[in-house]
Amino acid sequence: MSNIDLKGLPTTAASSLPPVHTWSPPFCGDMDLVIKANGEWFHEGGKIKRPAMVTMFSRILWFDAGEYFLVTPVEKVRIQVEDAPFLVTTWQWVETELGRTIEFKTQTEDVLLLGVDSDLWMATYLGEERPYVSMRYGMKALVGRNVFYGVVDSLEPVDTSEGVGMGIISAGKTYFLLQDE
């Protein structure tokens, strides 16, 4: 497997995740598992109701050439992802050696530090502008609406190569979010 991006993999998280990036099993086909655009996981048409099961599957999720796979040392099965496979459900400001930093947490208990091991951007999904943060192996997480509204309370004036407007500064890194009119 090539093009490994360990972004979104803090040292503590990296040691607790299986070494998916070192595995190269054969492709075994498609699995009837869909991650919906709202972050819910469905298997064979039924919602997976056990959070521990979703978290377990998320630990072996791999992104390659625009497709998502569940990977073990002996098999690789393709699954479907409507938008982003992860959903940011909580956030808080924390102090780091780089200064004031936003800490995001996903529904699968991944912890991301904005400006340290993840970045934030806006993109369009089905005609709607949505916020995302980068994750391990080139994957992304949708920032939940309630979380984004909380983050928006911290907007401040920024001047970046993208323009002048409002944004977030986390871990000393600036994220441009809204253009001045």
Side-chain angles (χ1 to χ4, degrees):
M1 297 181 184
S2 60
N3 297 331
I4 297 171
D5 178 6
L6 297 179
K7 187 171 229 163
L9 214 66
T11 306
T12 54
S15 61
S16 68
L17 291 170
V20 177
H21 60 283
T22 65
W23 299 338
S24 189
F27 176 67
C28 298
D30 294 313
M31 178 181 195
D32 186 6
L33 192 145
V34 178
I35 304 173
K36 298 289 191 174
N38 66 0
E40 294 177 335
W41 291 51
F42 284 78
H43 180 251
E44 296 182 348
K47 181 179 175 184
I48 300 176
K49 296 179 182 174
R50 294 178 49 206
M53 182 77 69
V54 170
T55 298
M56 180 191 69
F57 282 138
S58 78
R59 299 298 183 248
I60 59 169
L61 190 59
W62 181 260
F63 182 66
D64 187 30
E67 296 183 306
Y68 291 89
F69 302 90
L70 295 180
V71 179
T72 71
V74 296
E75 67 181 355
K76 175 180 176 180
V77 294
R78 183 176 27 233
I79 67 166
Q80 299 302 309
V81 176
E82 290 182 348
D83 182 20
F86 298 95
L87 176 66
V88 173
T89 56
T90 63
W91 77 285
Q92 67 179 342
W93 284 106
V94 296
E95 283 298 324
T96 69
E97 61 275 1
L98 298 172
R100 195 171 124 162
T101 303
I102 292 178
E103 177 186 86
F104 290 119
K105 192 171 187 181
T106 70
Q107 89 277 28
T108 54
E109 309 208 10
D110 291 281
V111 176
L112 307 165
L113 297 175
L114 183 63
V116 176
D117 56 17
S118 69
D119 289 312
L120 172 69
W121 71 94
M122 300 294 292
T124 303
Y125 175 75
L126 298 178
E128 176 187 2
E129 206 55 25
R130 298 173 82 167
Y132 297 92
V133 291
S134 54
M135 293 273 303
R136 63 183 174 272
Y137 309 128
M139 292 186 281
K140 65 183 177 181
L142 172 66
V143 177
R145 189 177 305 267
N146 62 327
V147 172
F148 190 63
Y149 286 156
V151 170
V152 165
D153 284 341
S154 298
L155 287 179
E156 57 187 282
V158 296
D159 186 354
T160 70
S161 60
E162 298 174 73
V164 176
M166 300 297 286
I168 294 288
I169 300 173
S170 177
K173 193 167 181 182
T174 302
Y175 296 92
F176 179 79
L177 296 174
L178 298 169
Q179 181 88 29
D180 272 354
E181 305 219 1

